[in-house]
């Protein structure tokens, strides 16, 4: 091993978490500017003044880098809806409504303002990357939490909160799936507020008959 390679390896090992974060930050910048399909590992390595081989010490493939960047992007909206789910002073219905609006707004904003990042997430969803399946699972977990709490307080009538949350999740896919939002913006669908109202009516407990 050359002296330069040894120095590069030693430096990377001393600050592995930092190096990994730098690789992801650089990759995300390239993805935003020129798109993830046009970005190469060599581009990332050159910007960081390291060899492609050193990049591959942290990520075994370009796809692994792509998946890690997608996870960084999706974690942001996951944190947002988790905060909404735990918000004090809001009913379960209000939290469900705000979660749906947040998911839709995040997808719509990314589609309009960061089309190349949206393109990357869209491809990830289409290809069913593992990181995207985990993202879907975490969204469902938040919905299950809120529906379960609503059922416990009597606000929702569901006898099976998990099944009810799954139904909610499927009902809102049209408003938060990257492919449907970007490629079929004018496709047949009710306004999002109408869908939210429909979902909440399906969840809410009915008053007892007189």
């Amino acid at each position: 091993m050359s002296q330069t390679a040894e120095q590069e390896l030693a430096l990377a090992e001393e600050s592995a978490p930092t190096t990994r974060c730098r690789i992801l930050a650089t990759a995300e910048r390239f993805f935003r500017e020129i798109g993830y399909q046009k970005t190469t590992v060599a581009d990332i390595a050159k910007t960081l003044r390291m060899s492609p081989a050193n990049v591959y010490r942290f990520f075994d493939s370009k796809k692994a880098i792509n998946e890690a960047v997608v996870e960084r992007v999706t974690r942001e909206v996951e944190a947002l809806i988790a905060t909404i789910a735990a918000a004090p002073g809001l009913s379960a219905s209000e939290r469900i409504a705000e979660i749906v609006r947040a998911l839709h707004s995040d997808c719509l904003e990314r589609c309009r303002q960061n089309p190349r990042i949206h393109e990357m997430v869209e491809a990830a969803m289409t290809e069913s990357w593992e990181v995207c399946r985990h993202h879907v699972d975490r969204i469902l977990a938040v919905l299950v939490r809120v529906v379960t709490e609503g059922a416990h307080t009597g606000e929702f009538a569901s006898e099976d909160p998990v099944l009810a949350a799954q139904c909610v999740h499927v009902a809102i896919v049209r408003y938060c799936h990257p492919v449907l939002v970007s490629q079929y913006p004018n496709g047949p669908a009710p306004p999002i507020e109408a869908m939210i109202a429909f979902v909440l009516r399906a969840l809410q407990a009915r008053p007892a008959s007189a």
Side-chain angles (χ1 to χ4, degrees), residues 14-29:
E14 288 176 5
S15 58
T18 300
T19 302
R20 181 182 173 87
C21 289
R22 288 173 60 221
I23 291 171
L24 290 181
T26 302
E28 183 173 347
R29 178 166 62 82

Side-chain angles (χ1 to χ4, degrees), residues 30-39 62 116 119:
F30 271 109
F31 294 163
R32 290 181 185 278
E33 292 175 356
I34 66 174
Y36 85 99
Q37 292 181 335
K38 293 182 179 179
T39 299
K62 181 186 171 185
R116 291 191 175 94
E119 172 192 329

Side-chain angles (χ1 to χ4, degrees), residues 13 18 22 30 37 43 64 82 84 86 104 133 137 146 150-151 155 159 179 184 191:
E13 289 177 342
T18 300
R22 288 173 60 221
F30 271 109
Q37 292 181 335
D43 293 330
I84 295 171
H104 179 59
R133 287 196 290 270
D137 289 343
V146 179
E155 183 179 349
E159 296 180 359
V179 175
Y184 305 99

Side-chain angles (χ1 to χ4, degrees), residues 58-85:
F58 297 90
F59 300 95
D60 60 12
S61 65
K62 181 186 171 185
K63 179 182 177 183
I65 298 175
N66 294 345
E67 290 181 344
V69 172
V70 169
E71 185 171 15
R72 280 165 61 104
V73 172
T74 56
R75 283 289 188 175
E76 294 174 4
V77 71
E78 289 169 15
L80 174 59
I81 65 171
T83 299
I84 295 171

